[in-house]
Structures are given as C-alpha cells and as structure tokens.
Amino acid sequence: VWCRAQSSTRNYGPVFEEQPVHTLFPEGSAEEKVTLACRARASPPATYRWKMNGTEIKLEPESRYRLVAGDLVISNPVKAKDAGSYQCVASNSRGTVVSREASLRFGFLQEFSAEERDPVKITEGWGVMFTCSPPPHYPGLSYRWLLNEFPNFIPADGRRFISQTTGNLYIAKTEASDLGNYSCFATSHIDFITKSVFSKFSRLSLAAEDARQYAPSIKARFPADTYALAGQVVTLECFAFGNPVPRIKWRKLDGSQSSKWIGSEPLLQIQDVGFEDEGTYECEAENIKGRDTYQGRIIIQVMWGSDRTDRKKKSSCVSSCGKPGWLQTGIRNRIEVSGGELRFSKLVLEDSGMYQCVAENKHGTVYASAELTVQALAPDFRLSPVKRLIPAARSGKVIIPCQPRAAPKATVLWTKGTELLVNSSRVTITTDGTLILQNISKSDEGKYTCFAENFMGKANSTGVLSVRDATKITLAPSSADINVGENLTLQCHASHDPTMDLTFTWSLDDFPIDFDKSEGHYRRASAKETIGDLSIFNSQLKHSGRYTCTAQTVVDSASESATLTVRGPPGPPGGVVVRDISDTTVQLSWSRGFDNHSPIARYTVEARTLLSSKWKQMRTNPVNIEGNAETAQVVNLIPWMDYEFRVLASNILGTGEPSLPSSKIRTKEAAPTVAPSGLSGGGGAPNELIINWTPTLRDYQNGDGFGYILSFRKKGTQGWLTARVPHAESLHYVYRNESIGPYTPFEVKIKAYNRKGEGPESLTAIVYSAEEEPKVAPFRVLAKAVLSSEMDVSWEPVEQGDRTGVLLGYEIRYWKDGDKEAAADRVRTAGLVTSAHVTGLNPNTKYHVSVRAYNRAGTGPPSPSTNVTTTKPPPKKPPGNISWTFLGSTVSIKWDPVVARADESAVTGYKMLYRQDSHSAPTLYLASKSRIDIPVPDDFTHAFVQIRVTGPGGDGIPAEVHILRNSGTSMMVEDSVTRPVPHAVIITTNSLAMVALISYLEL
C-alpha cells in the first residue's frame, strides 16, 4: 500500500481556507456585533463548532452566539464575558481539524489623571524632559504635545523629540521660545475610531544666563536587547541633550573599523526585518563639544510552521512538523513520534485519516494538518500512458518514462516489438522503470512497450520512436571587445530537421536572458527561423561575460558560446584609510578596484566636511596621482575640521564610481590664519564706542577656545587699547568711557585667537563713537499751498560745522490749526535737500509747519513754525453737454462752462487730453474758455477726448467722449456738421472719470 496526496476527484478531509484572526473591539463602539471567520474546503462539506478558552460554545436559539456558515457572530460583545481565545473546529466523515487560536480583546483609553502637574524651571540652554505618564489603555497610543493651547502642536525637529514608546517630550537645548505650558496629547486608533485625551498642563520657566556649551548626553534610549519576529517593523529611539544641539547618527556594528552610517534621525526604523538585520546597533550623538554613544542588540526570532503534505512510501510514511520543542498530537499505534516528525510503519487501509500538528513557542501557536490516504490498486496507465509518438535526434539520446499508477509499486519490463530489452551500452532501464536509449540511429525506430505488474494485476502502454535529423550550429558567435555604450550583434545560425520547429535562446554566464526585462539592451536581430542573432544596444559593464546561443527542437539542441568584453571606467577603489593627520594634511591609502578592462590612468581625491554634504575635489601631493599609486597626501586642509574622504579612479573611458567614504577624522588645531572681516561700528548711547564685525565661520576658526582681540585708539593718538572678546559667535563690543565725545573717530583693528595662538590683524578701519542729536535748527522755513491737498516746504539748512553726527536729512512736521504738535504728521527727507513736497492734506485747512534736522541719534530742535492754508478743492462737476463740429482739417469741440460753488476753488481754465486711438500717445491741450479747436488728419475716423476743469485747487473730474466721423463724410467746410450729444447717451461715473459713450447718428 502507498500513502499519497488527496485527489480532487474523491472525498477528502477539511482543509482551512479562512481561519479566525486576532480581533480588537473598541469599548463603546456603535457596532453591535463582532464576527470571527472560519471556512474549510471539504468533501463531503464540513460542519463547524467553536471553542472559547478550550470549552465548546453552546449555540442555543436565545444565545448571543450564532453560527453563519462557519463564522461565529457574537452580538453585543461584553469584555467581562467575551474576551478570550477562540478556535474553530471543522469536521466531516474523513476527520476533524482545529483552527489556530484567535484572541478577542477590547480596546480602551481612559482619561489622564486630574492631578495638577509640577512646574519645571531650568537654565536656558540646558535640556529638559517632560514625562507623559499616559493613562491605562489598550492597544498602544500615538503621542503629541501641546504648547499653551489646542491645536498648537510642537513639531518634531532636531531640537525636540517625542518618544512614541513612552510619550515623553525631550528638548535638547531650551530657548526663550520654549517658555509656556505643556500638555501630553495621547491618541488611540482602533479600526476607524479615533479617541484623544490630554494631560494637565505643566509650566516651563527659564532662568536667563549665558548658556555655556556642553557635550551631548543621550537621554532617550532603546532597550539593550530588542526581540522581534522576522518580517515585522523594528523602531529604535535615541535622543540627546547638548549645546549646540547634537546630531544623531546610527550604524550597525559589524566588527570592522569602518561601519557604515545608516541613519541620521532620532528614529531608526527597519522595515520587514530579517536575520541579516540581527546584531548590535550604535547611536551616536555629536556636537562641537564632544560625543556620546549607546549600543543595543536586535535579536530576530521566527514562528516556525508549515502545512505538511504526505510522502510516498511503500510500507511507511514520514511527516515532519516544526522544530524541536514543539508539542505534537495524534499519537497512535504503529506511529513513532520523533522530534517534530510522525513516522508510520506497516501501513494498512485503516491508517487513512486526518493528522494535525500543533507547534508552540513564546510568540504563539500554529496548527498544520495533513490527510493520509492508504490505497491498493492494479497498474493503470490511463493517467500517464507512454507517449504515442516519441521523436528523437540522430546520434542523440531519448528518455521514455513508464509511470503507471499502482499500489504497491509495479514491476516494469520493456520490449521493442517482440524483443525484450535489457541493460546494455546503449540501453538503460532505471529502477523506476524509465527507458533510456543513447547514440540513436535509424535502426532504433519502432514500437516500444512498457509492461507493469503487481499482485493486484497487469497493464501495458506502447509508443512509436521516430528518428529525426540532429540540430547543428552552422554559424557560431565570435568573441568581441567593445566599450561601454557601443552596440554589437552576436551571430548564431543553425540547421535542423525540417519537420520540426526551431527556437533560439541566449544565456549570459548560464543565466537565461529575459528580453522583456532587459530595458532595451537586448533584441533579436532577425525573424528568420534559422537565424538567432543577438543585438546588444548601449552596452554596459554588466553585459560582459560568456554568451551561449542554444538552437533547440523538441528532440535535441545545440549550443555555442563566445566571450564579450565590455570596457568602461574603473570600478570604485576600496578600503580608504586615513593616517598621519596634521593640521592641514593627511595621508590617504586605498586598494585598487576593477579596471574594467582598461588600465587606470589616474586617481582623484574628494572630501566633504561637517559643514557641507557636497563633495569637493582636493589638492594632493603629488598633484597628479598616477594609476599605479595606492597612496597620496591631501594638502591645504582646514585645521580643526571634520573630514570624510573618497577616491575616484579614471581611465581613457572616463571616471568611475567613487569609493565608500573613509572614516571621519578631525585635523589638528592651529592658530587662526584669517583676520575677521566686516569691521564697522557706530551708534549706541552717549560716551560709547560700538565696534561690530562679522563672526568668523567654523571653516576659519582652526581650533577650540576661539575668540577675538580688538585694538582701538582715538584717531591722532599713539597708544592702543585692547579687549578680548570670547566665543566665536560674538559680533560686537561696546567700550564705555565718560571722556568719549560725540561722533569721535577711532582707529580700530581686529584679530582672532584660539588655544593655539593668535592670527593676523585686519586692516585699520575708522569707527565713530555714538552720535548726539543735532543742536541747531533749520531757519527761514517757507510753506506754500500748491493744490487743495498738497504744499511745498523749503528751508535754510543747518551748518555742517555741528559735529554731533552725520546729518541724515530733515523731518517736516505739520498739524492742523487747533491740534497739538504732538499729533503732527511727519515726512522725512534723505540727504541734504532743503525742500519737500507734502501730499495728503485736507482742502481749505490751516496747517502749522516746522522742520528739524535728524541723524542716527535722533531729531534736533524745531525751527520756528510757519502757517499755510490749503486751497479749496476743484469743482466736482465735470464739463457737460459736449459737442463737436468738423471744419475742414479742424474739429471744434465745445461744452457748457463749469461754475464753482462757494466751497470749491475758482475755475481758471480747462485741460483737454486728446488721443487718436487707444494705442497712440495722448496730447494735452489748455483752454481758458469752454471751446477749443484741434487739427485732425485727412483720414480721421475717431478720437478719444477727456475734458476737465483746472484752477488753484487742482484738476477736477474728467468727462470723456468718443468722437466719431463717418468714413464717407467729406472734410470740406460746406459739409461740416455739428454733432450734438444725443439723448441716447450712456454715462458711467467712477472715481477716475465720467465717461460719455456717444452714439453716432448718421444724418
């Protein structure tokens, strides 16, 4: 008897297609039921039962539990009664299987404690942590923090970090902007239900002191050992306090001296974690004051388990399940249990049935089931007869299987016609009954029959062997040598038996070429059946190798190979090592990379610093690094600077990929070599000299303990005063002395220093002490009204001999009669101008005007005030009843005079703006009366005209007309016609103009 896999044509035991999964039900959910799924494939169909915590559930009519197909539906679930572990049991006449366990749990989130939280006080510049202390909950939460009010959430940046493990808020370096009240905001996400709660506020106060810099200290740490299942997402947290704010980096320690940095954020997240991710991980926090590190391990575990299928054995059957240490069930007579295996011996028909394996470890439990079917039957070729027509190639080999269905295994014999075949030099019959014929000739054609027999009966099956011509390569591919980017065709022609189809396949280094996935690099060069040429386009280095062309029919194949060499730029050098580090030089060494079939001509060295991620080419000694070199000195480096280096190789075909970066190094310190720039100053309070400069960049500090030395003296004196200003960030110095007069010139120079010494001095600059307000007032102030809302003001300037400071200009103050000067409006001029035009005044209003000189210290005394009264506004009414008359080459335009009201300024004349068309430049005409004559060209057809009044108060509102002339009208005098404004006029008034659209009426 044999044990065999189940067949779809007979009855079989249950096989799960859907099993229950862990389910989370939110407390307080509007959903009134929860469903645990279960479905099994079985013949005959399965029946279902359910267990909770190992006890079978009674499905009664009035129960909250009901069965829908195989699914268990729980109505109005309650945590106290329904939380637990559930299993589905599927049964039929072939056997019973039990599903995996699935838990039903209830999600909840309580409120934060109502107790007030203690305030926090810390020195500005130091780090601080706020504890979240979330309320009881299930499952996990996501965390944010509020500052002062909702929804002012604190962003996660390099200075602030919110742990999603504890909810705690970390601030690496506190600043004045951090003052305020802090609240932890926790959110639970269960299916489509989101709930959030927030804690009482805790106030942060800062003590203002000069914040000193200090090295990093890691405060948020991941566990020393992190256990994870393969395929999960692993998240590690790391954050540090420090001033300046530390930079976080991650790497996996692999035992080498140059482990690659793999992250630069407080969170390191590894998706789909696998065994290759197992190991020790290091977090490093670094700033200019030092570094701190922390290490922990990731340990990967798996939950083993797989569905088992049956093994064919003559009188025994072995099924394995899981790993040692798991639990096994289903022990029966004649079944040996060993580790995770069940071994069956002396099988009988009664051993048929369902067998199930249960495997457990600390990560959970899995179930696997198998059905054993024991059968006994006579040989039967109906499912796998001998192939009726068996083609074979001349001089080749043919394999003819004989695979009848039989239990127990049948004895096999082969015949050719009536001749019984036995093993010989050309004939082989294998132990499983397969017939193999070698070195085939035409005489081997004929009928071949396989006879099979066991104690249940006999059977046979026959096929006919037909010998065909062999396939041969007639034109083989030739080896070639090309450069990257070039094209090439490898030839391959073949002959074959004309009664059979011929196909060509290509492989590169024994791997088949997939033309559809070659990104256009590979194409077939010909559609002819006997030609299989391969075209290679835009060749790349990866295309080098041994190409094999195979011509194949259903009976045989032939192959030929050729080697393609693709030359290209060199590969990346390896193992860049930095040694002999000085303040401006280092010695690099590396190992040669692949030359990619073209000799390396030279190397270049690139570097990047802590301040920039951009790689720059560096100067070296020797200047040109030959292709056979493996070391060079890098020169002209910046002292006290962090560097990474990489090396690139070049040949006649170009420059290759760079090496991996070297380990980070810091050059040694040296005295400053560059003087600070931007020396200037001025301003401040009386008796002060303020000196400003541009802070020196990190690139030029050359060492720790950086600061500035100032030298200054009153211009014309001999002795120099000096002052030391610590800290590279400093940008000004204030010297106070009662003897310093206003706007006194000083000679000033500056140099830098650090722990290694002092740098060169800058050029001498002239800086003036603080100014005083001007002491002299302008005089002869005159004010004249220009329009109803404007006036001109002029004055005599102050004398330049007033050495209180640099005169920046004048300030005009003006205020209405009856108002106080404190409410005056102000206009300032720049430079030494002695007049100003003031706009925005009220019409027909009396104003008082005074003028003051001003400099950077403030304004001087006022001039004696003068008075001016603005004119009345121009008439608001535009000219009306506009008409025109054509007189030869002139058009005469007239309108009704505008009469000013008592509160309007007199009309002294009219302004007319004439424009031939919308694109031409307008022409301004002045008229003292309400009529004007304008010359027009012979081809005149139309024009746009604006007319407004003018007078002491300015210009009034315009009226606009569109003058039209019929193209057929003569310009002769006798044909002149007066065109009055018709009654069908459309007038639109806005703030700019009154526009009259005149309809042209043809007489």
Side-chain angles (χ1 to χ4, degrees):
V1 290
W2 287 1
C3 67
R4 57 182 299 278
Q6 65 187 25
S7 169
S8 59
T9 61
R10 62 175 182 81
N11 291 344
Y12 54 90
V15 178
F16 281 114
E17 293 184 329
E18 186 174 11
Q19 299 189 56
V21 296
H22 297 303
T23 302
L24 183 63
F25 187 81
E27 286 188 354
S29 171
E31 186 71 27
E32 297 179 351
K33 64 182 180 180
V34 64
T35 300
L36 299 175
C38 181
R39 185 174 74 255
R41 182 179 72 254
S43 180
T47 60
Y48 300 92
R49 294 174 290 128
W50 282 83
K51 293 183 178 182
M52 175 185 174
N53 298 331
T55 302
E56 186 168 339
I57 298 174
K58 295 181 179 180
L59 301 174
E60 299 175 347
E62 301 299 324
S63 171
R64 291 185 302 108
Y65 301 97
R66 59 192 175 94
L67 205 59
V68 179
D71 298 348
L72 177 65
V73 180
I74 306 174
S75 301
N76 302 315
V78 179
K79 179 179 179 181
K81 297 180 179 180
D82 301 318
S85 177
Y86 290 78
Q87 282 181 292
C88 174
V89 182
S91 303
N92 72 355
S93 58
R94 303 288 296 182
T96 299
V97 290
V98 181
S99 76
R100 64 182 173 226
E101 294 183 354
S103 64
L104 173 60
R105 302 189 66 173
F106 289 75
F108 65 95
L109 172 60
Q110 298 182 9
E111 297 290 333
F112 275 94
S113 169
E115 294 184 7
E116 296 294 332
R117 298 204 169 196
D118 294 333
V120 177
K121 185 173 183 180
I122 197 168
T123 301
E124 182 177 343
W126 289 89
V128 68
M129 180 192 77
F130 287 93
T131 302
C132 179
S133 300
H137 61 275
Y138 183 83
L141 305 175
S142 62
Y143 299 95
R144 290 182 289 176
W145 278 78
L146 295 169
L147 177 58
N148 294 326
E149 60 183 358
F150 181 89
N152 185 22
F153 290 106
I154 296 173
D157 50 28
R159 192 174 63 87
R160 293 170 289 192
F161 171 68
I162 299 171
S163 170
Q164 295 304 310
T165 301
T166 63
N168 297 342
L169 167 65
Y170 297 84
I171 303 177
K173 171 197 169 189
T174 51
E175 298 177 353
S177 60
D178 295 325
L179 287 170
N181 299 303
Y182 289 78
S183 172
C184 181
F185 190 88
T187 302
S188 172
H189 303 277
I190 304 175
D191 291 336
F192 299 103
I193 300 177
T194 299
K195 179 181 179 182
S196 298
V197 295
F198 57 89
S199 70
K200 290 285 188 177
F201 282 90
S202 177
R203 179 161 186 79
L204 174 64
S205 302
L206 299 178
E209 295 183 10
D210 289 338
R212 68 175 183 84
Q213 296 181 341
Y214 62 95
S217 175
I218 295 177
K219 299 298 183 182
R221 301 182 173 186
F222 54 100
D225 289 326
T226 299
Y227 293 89
L229 281 176
Q232 289 185 336
V233 178
V234 174
T235 301
L236 305 181
E237 295 183 341
C238 180
F239 193 73
F241 294 171
N243 184 9
V245 175
R247 185 177 69 166
I248 302 295
K249 296 190 299 182
W250 295 86
R251 64 178 174 179
K252 181 184 178 185
L253 301 180
D254 55 8
S256 66
Q257 295 297 318
S258 57
S259 298
K260 184 178 180 181
W261 296 104
I262 57 176
S264 59
E265 299 292 336
L267 287 180
L268 177 65
Q269 197 169 75
I270 305 174
Q271 303 285 344
D272 191 20
V273 68
F275 284 104
E276 68 276 7
D277 300 309
E278 190 171 65
T280 299
Y281 288 77
E282 180 180 80
C283 165
E284 178 183 289
E286 182 182 31
N287 63 14
I288 60 175
K289 300 301 292 183
R291 58 193 289 268
D292 190 15
T293 61
Y294 177 76
Q295 296 178 3
R297 292 188 305 162
I298 292 180
I299 301 170
I300 307 301
Q301 298 180 326
V302 294
M303 180 185 293
W304 298 98
S306 60
D307 291 332
R308 310 309 305 170
T309 57
D310 305 301
R311 310 284 182 87
K312 284 190 175 182
K313 295 291 180 180
K314 185 171 182 180
S315 59
S316 64
C317 189
V318 177
S319 179
S320 63
C321 177
K323 295 292 180 179
W326 288 7
L327 304 178
Q328 295 83 20
T329 61
I331 298 177
R332 300 171 54 180
N333 293 336
R334 293 176 292 97
I335 297 178
E336 177 185 352
V337 180
S338 175
E341 291 186 343
L342 299 182
R343 182 176 296 274
F344 302 79
S345 60
K346 298 181 181 180
L347 285 168
V348 295
L349 293 174
E350 289 75 14
D351 290 332
S352 298
M354 298 295 299
Y355 293 82
Q356 194 162 23
C357 167
V358 183
E360 295 180 335
N361 66 10
K362 71 176 185 178
H363 294 291
T365 303
V366 294
Y367 290 73
S369 60
E371 180 179 4
L372 175 63
T373 301
V374 181
Q375 294 181 335
L377 65 157
D380 186 351
F381 281 99
R382 286 177 295 178
L383 294 180
S384 55
V386 174
K387 192 174 180 182
R388 290 190 177 185
L389 179 61
I390 307 167
R394 194 187 306 270
S395 302
K397 179 176 76 171
V398 66
I399 299 174
I400 310 175
C402 179
Q403 297 174 330
R405 183 183 181 195
K409 182 179 178 180
T411 301
V412 173
L413 297 175
W414 279 92
T415 64
K416 178 190 176 189
T418 59
E419 176 188 358
L420 179 64
L421 298 178
V422 295
N423 287 334
S424 66
S425 61
R426 295 180 54 247
V427 177
T428 302
I429 302 174
T430 65
T431 56
D432 65 354
T434 299
L435 174 63
I436 302 175
L437 303 178
Q438 302 189 60
N439 195 21
I440 292 174
S441 64
K442 198 69 175 176
S443 62
D444 291 320
E445 288 187 330
K447 292 183 178 181
Y448 289 80
T449 302
C450 173
F451 293 89
E453 180 181 1
N454 67 8
F455 74 88
M456 296 290 293
K458 301 177 181 180
N460 64 77
S461 181
T462 300
V464 176
L465 179 66
S466 175
V467 179
R468 311 293 176 88
D469 291 336
T471 303
K472 297 180 180 179
I473 299 293
T474 58
L475 178 61
S478 300
S479 297
D481 189 335
I482 61 176
N483 294 333
V484 167
E486 294 181 346
N487 303 331
L488 175 71
T489 297
L490 296 175
Q491 294 180 309
C492 184
H493 300 183
S495 63
H496 68 296
D497 190 297
T499 64
M500 310 188 77
D501 292 330
L502 178 68
T503 59
F504 287 91
T505 59
W506 285 86
S507 63
L508 173 57
D509 294 332
D510 298 328
F511 288 95
I513 294 175
D514 188 336
F515 288 84
D516 294 331
K517 297 181 180 180
S518 67
E519 300 176 345
H521 290 293
Y522 294 119
R523 297 180 195 168
R524 297 190 184 276
S526 175
K528 294 183 179 180
E529 184 182 20
T530 59
I531 299 177
D533 295 353
L534 173 67
S535 292
I536 305 174
F537 296 91
N538 187 22
S539 60
Q540 303 297 309
L541 293 171
K542 64 183 179 180
H543 297 142
S544 294
R546 185 170 62 89
Y547 284 80
T548 301
C549 171
T550 301
Q552 186 169 10
T553 66
V554 295
V555 298
D556 70 338
S557 64
S559 299
E560 290 290 346
S561 299
T563 300
L564 175 63
T565 300
V566 181
R567 303 184 186 276
V576 178
V577 177
V578 187
R579 54 185 177 82
D580 299 340
I581 303 169
S582 71
D583 54 352
T584 59
T585 65
V586 298
Q587 191 73 29
L588 290 188
S589 61
W590 60 88
S591 59
R592 293 172 57 86
F594 293 109
D595 62 10
N596 291 330
H597 314 295
S598 180
I600 298 174
R602 63 187 180 89
Y603 289 97
T604 55
V605 175
E606 292 182 339
R608 65 181 177 187
T609 67
L610 176 69
L611 308 176
S612 173
S613 60
K614 185 177 180 181
W615 291 93
K616 296 181 180 179
Q617 185 171 338
M618 305 303 291
R619 294 186 178 182
T620 59
N621 181 22
V623 176
N624 296 315
I625 308 173
E626 299 294 335
N628 58 358
E630 294 187 8
T631 184
Q633 186 183 51
V634 185
V635 299
N636 291 358
L637 299 178
I638 300 172
W640 196 57
M641 180 59 64
D642 293 329
Y643 280 99
E644 288 178 302
F645 299 92
R646 68 182 187 184
V647 181
L648 300 90
S650 303
N651 59 20
I652 60 173
L653 299 176
T655 301
E657 293 294 319
S659 68
L660 292 175
S662 69
S663 58
K664 185 182 297 181
I665 62 96
R666 176 172 289 181
T667 52
K668 293 185 177 180
E669 296 178 271
T673 56
V674 177
S677 61
L679 194 58
S680 62
N687 308 121
E688 284 186 352
L689 171 66
I690 295 181
I691 304 172
N692 301 324
W693 61 91
T694 302
T696 299
L697 298 177
R698 172 69 175 78
D699 309 49
Y700 305 106
Q701 293 176 16
N702 289 7
D704 201 4
F706 189 85
Y708 305 91
I709 299 176
L710 290 164
S711 300
F712 53 93
R713 66 184 178 188
K714 189 180 297 185
K715 189 175 181 181
T717 62
Q718 296 298 316
W720 291 88
L721 299 175
T722 60
R724 293 175 72 92
V725 182
H727 307 309
E729 299 84 1
S730 301
L731 47 76
H732 71 273
Y733 173 73
V734 180
Y735 173 63
R736 297 181 180 85
N737 194 298
E738 296 296 331
S739 66
I740 299 177
Y743 204 60
T744 301
F746 280 79
E747 293 177 303
V748 179
K749 52 188 178 180
I750 188 172
K751 61 183 176 181
Y753 72 90
N754 60 22
R755 293 192 305 189
K756 290 293 183 178
E758 299 177 359
E761 281 190 323
S762 68
L763 297 175
T764 301
I766 301 298
V767 177
Y768 287 84
S769 63
E771 302 177 32
E772 288 184 347
E773 299 89 345
K775 302 298 184 183
V776 181
F779 59 98
R780 294 180 186 170
V781 176
L782 298 176
K784 179 182 178 182
V786 179
L787 297 173
S788 60
S789 61
E790 301 175 10
M791 68 176 173
D792 287 331
V793 182
S794 62
W795 59 88
E796 292 293 332
V798 299
E799 295 181 6
Q800 291 298 307
D802 179 15
R803 300 306 297 168
T804 56
V806 177
L807 180 66
L808 299 180
Y810 295 89
E811 181 178 277
I812 298 93
R813 299 187 183 184
Y814 53 97
W815 62 97
K816 297 177 184 178
D817 187 38
D819 290 349
K820 295 183 179 180
E821 184 179 357
D825 291 315
R826 307 179 184 194
V827 173
R828 281 194 167 187
T829 68
L832 303 179
V833 297
T834 58
S835 63
H837 185 72
V838 181
T839 61
L841 305 177
N842 292 335
N844 197 24
T845 303
K846 182 179 180 180
Y847 283 89
H848 300 278
V849 181
S850 69
V851 181
R852 304 168 183 242
Y854 73 90
N855 60 18
R856 284 187 292 184
T859 55
S863 68
S865 64
T866 186
N867 301 326
V868 64
T869 300
T870 54
T871 62
K872 297 177 181 179
K876 295 181 180 179
K877 181 180 179 182
N881 198 25
I882 302 172
S883 62
W884 61 90
T885 303
F886 289 99
L887 300 171
S889 60
T890 303
V891 59
S892 179
I893 305 172
K894 62 181 179 179
W895 56 89
D896 290 344
V898 177
V899 179
R901 297 184 305 187
D903 59 346
E904 295 176 335
S905 62
V907 177
T908 60
Y910 298 87
K911 291 182 178 180
M912 186 177 74
L913 203 62
Y914 175 87
R915 189 170 71 245
Q916 185 71 36
D917 54 49
S918 60
H919 302 293
S920 61
T923 304
L924 179 64
Y925 294 91
L926 301 177
S928 59
K929 297 181 179 181
S930 59
R931 178 188 177 98
I932 191 168
D933 295 333
I934 300 173
V936 295
D938 293 341
D939 58 351
F940 174 89
T941 58
H942 68 97
F944 297 94
V945 173
Q946 281 188 355
I947 305 172
R948 70 182 78 200
V949 301
T950 186
D955 297 339
I957 298 173
E960 181 172 318
V961 295
H962 187 188
I963 299 176
L964 300 172
R965 179 186 178 98
N966 191 317
S967 60
T969 302
S970 172
M971 294 295 291
M972 296 176 61
V973 173
E974 58 269 26
D975 192 38
S976 299
V977 177
T978 299
R979 308 294 186 188
V981 177
H983 67 278
V985 113
I986 300 174
I987 300 177
T988 302
T989 304
N990 57 26
S991 61
L992 298 177
M994 178 173 290
V995 180
L997 178 60
I998 310 300
S999 299
Y1000 181 78
L1001 301 179
E1002 192 170 31
L1003 297 180

